[in-house]
Every structure is written in structure tokens, then in C-alpha cells.
Amino acid sequence: MHARHESAIRYLFDTPPEPGGLREIVPGLTWLRLPLPFILNHVNVWLLDDGGTGNRARTTIIDTGADKPETRAIWENVIAGALAGRKVSRLICTHGHPDHVGLAGWLTEKLGVDLHMTLGEWLAPQVWREEGLKPMRPEVEAVYRSHGVTDEDIAKLRATREAAPFRNHPLPPSFVRMRDRQFVRFGGRSWQVLVNGGHADEHASFWSRKDGILIAGDQVLSKITPVVGVFPSQPQANPLADYLASLKRLRKLPAETLVLPSHGLPFRGLHTRLDELAHHHERRLDSLHALMKAPQTGVELAHGLFKKAMAEGQTVLALAETLAHAHYLVSKGRARRSVARNGRITFVAR
């Protein structure tokens, strides 16, 4: 990442709450931090006071954490503690990735509430779950081979998948659909739903104009960049175009917006952070373009763009990010994509 203008980005807190700990951000809006069993070791979820007193008190929950025993145990404590005597009005999920929707089915069953999310993000995790419980399909292997993944590495991916099959709790069979620009009311505030692509196809963020708060989900993170990748389910997608368009759209919000990201610390300085994210991808595009002097496969380019990740065996994510940037260069006329008779795909600069 390039140097940050520290004066422009201001964090509300120096440190986060402990895993399972609660902290009020503004009146009626509470931060709950949940652990994740990944390199990215946490996710932020939000509890919003819907008003009422006594047995009429209500709360909205945004996002759930991953479906892990330790996460369920934290939710059990929260339900018995902070939410004791309160009814949960609804569960909202920003998007369908496992760390955001992994316990949605479990929580809706346990609390007797409806799940609210966008259509695409309700459908996607159900497809992933169905696929993840089966062996890797030949068509998926063919996509990886077309970009230069070796048979040996595909065998490793297959073995990893079989050793740790997809185990997210099933989503509820029905949900309440949220749409772009729709206004919804929860937590004593009116929120506009902002649906953007790039990281997920129909990721929902929530903007309160009156209070200047953006519940950003993964669309705007405070220190890291969200994954923007091309995966076998959409092998010719151009998600980076969607993501960069979302940064321009979000820049219409005030610079002093309070941003509540799903990872990292809440902060002010939205415009600076959006500029940083855009510049990060501009630099990555330039780096990738420089690697395309001769036709190369996605894997060859990934080794140049993500040396450390590829050395650590993070082939799937590194290749996905590389292809997202390569497809964007092709869409802008800065590169050419070619498919050989044997199906091998290469990219070269123009």
C-alpha cells in the first residue's frame, strides 16, 4: 500500500474490543467482534437498538460470523446477556461470504426472525454449499488448467477441498429481499441500501444520511483491500470494473462519514480511503501490465504479481485477483486475451 495521509483518516478507537466483546459506537449501535479461523482473524458485526422497553425492546443484527463452535458459543453468551429480554427484529447480511452469512440459518432458526439480504447474495452461498459438498467438477478443473494451474496443484486443491468440505449451516428457505437505493428503517434510523459489486456481486452497504454513518461491510475496509477476484463460476467476469465503479459512487457520500467496516477499525475519512483503494488497484494494474511483455498464462502472471502468496500455496486467491486485473486491462484495451486450440489462455500487453 502507498503512504497514508494519517491526518485524513481518524480511527474512533485505538484498539478493538476483545473477541466476543461489545462496544457502543454511537447511541443505539453496538460493535461485536467475532473471531475467524483464517489469516484475517476477525469480523465485525453490528447490533442496533430498534427501541421499545421491557419485553417490547427490539434489536437488529447485521452479519453473523463463520459457522464455528467458538462463534456459536459467543452468540449464545450475547443472546443470554446483552440481548436478554429483547426480541431480535431481523437479521441482515451484507453479502454471502461465509464470515458474514455462515450462521444466518442457525440464528434465524434460534431467534425466530427473518433474514434480509439481496437476492444474489442469498442465492450464491447456497450454490457454493451444494458445490462444496461434492468433489471438484471437471469443468472447474478445466478452468484452472486453462490458466496454467498444473495437474499437481489441482490435485492439491482437490485434496484440500475433500479434507475440509463446505460446512456452513444451511440458509433459511425464504428471505426478505433488499434492493439498491431502497430505504429501510432499523436501529432508530432510516438507511439507504447501496448495492455494489466487485467483492461480491450484490453486496449491500447501509447509509444513514441524517447521522452520517455508513455500515460498509467489506466494500470499504480501513486498512486492507477486499478480495476482488475471478473464479471458475464466472470465468470471464470483470469484477474490478464493478469495484472501481463502486468507489466512485461511494465518493458522493460526505468525506466525514463515519465508516463501520466489517474488518478493521471504525474510522472517519471516507474520501481519503476511497482514493487509497483506487490507487492501490491502479498500481497493481500497472505492475501487471509491465509483466505482460510476452504472452503469459494467469498462473505465470500471478507468480510475478503475488510472489509471496503463490509461494505459500495461495493459488486460488492469487490467481483470482490476477485474472480480475487482467480482465480489466483487456476491457480497457491495454491487453489482449488469447485462447489456444488446447484451451490455454494467455494475456499480452497492447
Side-chain angles (χ1 to χ4, degrees), residues 2 19 29-30 60 62 66 113 132 159 188 190 196 219 223 258 264 281 287 324:
H2 61 290
L29 198 163
T30 299
T60 287
I62 298 184
V113 298
S190 176
N196 290 296
Q219 207 69 21
K223 290 187 177 180
L258 172 58
H281 287 291
S287 297

Side-chain angles (χ1 to χ4, degrees), residues 29-344:
L29 198 163
T30 299
W31 176 12
L32 170 63
R33 195 170 176 94
L34 298 173
L36 292 176
F38 315 124
I39 294 175
L40 182 57
N41 63 6
H42 72 276
V43 62
N44 302 325
V45 305
W46 313 100
L47 309 179
L48 295 101
D49 184 356
D50 288 328
T53 58
N55 61 7
R56 295 180 179 274
R58 301 287 187 269
T59 297
T60 287
I61 297 173
I62 298 184
D63 285 343
T64 73
D67 187 1
K68 299 294 177 182
E70 57 271 33
T71 314
R72 291 191 185 209
I74 289 172
W75 275 116
E76 294 280 10
N77 290 336
V78 170
I79 291 168
L83 296 180
R86 304 183 68 87
K87 179 175 175 56
V88 174
S89 308
R90 64 186 68 77
L91 171 65
I92 297 172
C93 288
T94 56
H95 60 297
H97 292 169
D99 51 331
H100 296 263
V101 78
L103 281 174
W106 181 75
L107 278 171
T108 54
E109 289 172 9
K110 187 174 186 66
L111 300 171
V113 298
D114 289 329
L115 172 64
H116 296 237
M117 59 193 306
T118 62
L119 174 61
E121 298 305 308
W122 177 72
L123 291 171
Q126 299 187 76
V127 174
W128 299 331
R129 186 176 194 276
E130 186 69 20
E131 285 288 299
L133 292 172
K134 300 175 182 177
M136 187 181 291
R137 290 185 293 113
E139 296 87 348
V140 173
E141 295 184 11
V143 171
Y144 285 131
R145 285 194 182 91
S146 73
H147 291 295
V149 180
T150 65
D151 287 345
E152 180 183 358
D153 283 339
I154 287 175
K156 291 178 182 177
L157 294 177
R158 192 187 304 120
T160 299
R161 179 187 180 123
E162 291 171 357
F166 204 89
R167 298 188 186 279
N168 270 14
H169 195 87
L171 285 182
S174 64
F175 77 112
V176 178
R177 183 177 180 182
M178 307 188 91
R179 300 171 184 268
D180 187 38
R181 300 183 186 278
Q182 171 188 0
F183 283 91
V184 293
R185 187 166 184 84
F186 56 84
R189 297 172 173 88
S190 176
W191 304 84
Q192 186 173 29
V193 182
L194 303 178
V195 178
N196 290 296
H199 176 64
D201 287 329
E202 294 186 4
H203 182 295
S205 303
F206 303 95
W207 161 240
S208 170
R209 179 183 297 275
K210 181 179 179 181
D211 293 279
I213 302 171
L214 176 68
I215 299 176
D218 279 359
Q219 207 69 21
V220 183
L221 301 178
S222 58
K223 290 187 177 180
I224 61 174
T225 58
V227 172
V228 179
V230 171
F231 297 95
S233 58
Q234 297 185 62
Q236 297 187 46
N238 186 9
L240 185 56
D242 293 334
Y243 186 69
L244 294 178
S246 80
L247 300 184
K248 291 181 179 179
R249 181 188 186 192
L250 291 170
R251 213 175 190 286
K252 296 177 182 178
L253 304 184
E256 285 302 296
T257 294
L258 172 58
V259 182
L260 307 183
S262 289
H263 307 283
L265 300 171
F267 68 95
R268 295 187 187 276
L270 174 63
H271 290 185
T272 297
R273 186 59 185 144
L274 294 174
D275 291 345
E276 287 183 351
L277 290 165
H279 184 60
H280 165 82
H281 287 291
E282 289 167 6
R283 292 204 316 162
R284 185 161 284 174
L285 287 165
D286 289 341
S287 297
L288 184 61
H289 188 261
L291 294 170
M292 292 180 170
K293 293 178 181 177
Q296 294 193 68
T297 65
V299 164
E300 289 170 330
L301 293 169
H303 276 291
L305 199 62
F306 297 103
K307 293 183 177 69
K308 184 174 184 290
M310 291 296 284
E312 293 173 347
Q314 299 181 45
T315 303
V316 171
L317 287 180
L319 176 60
E321 289 259 10
T322 299
L323 292 177
H325 289 78
H327 288 186
Y328 186 82
L329 289 174
V330 171
S331 75
K332 293 298 181 181
R334 296 179 63 190
R336 183 173 67 251
R337 176 183 182 270
S338 299
V339 185
R341 290 185 177 180
N342 65 359
R344 184 61 58 92

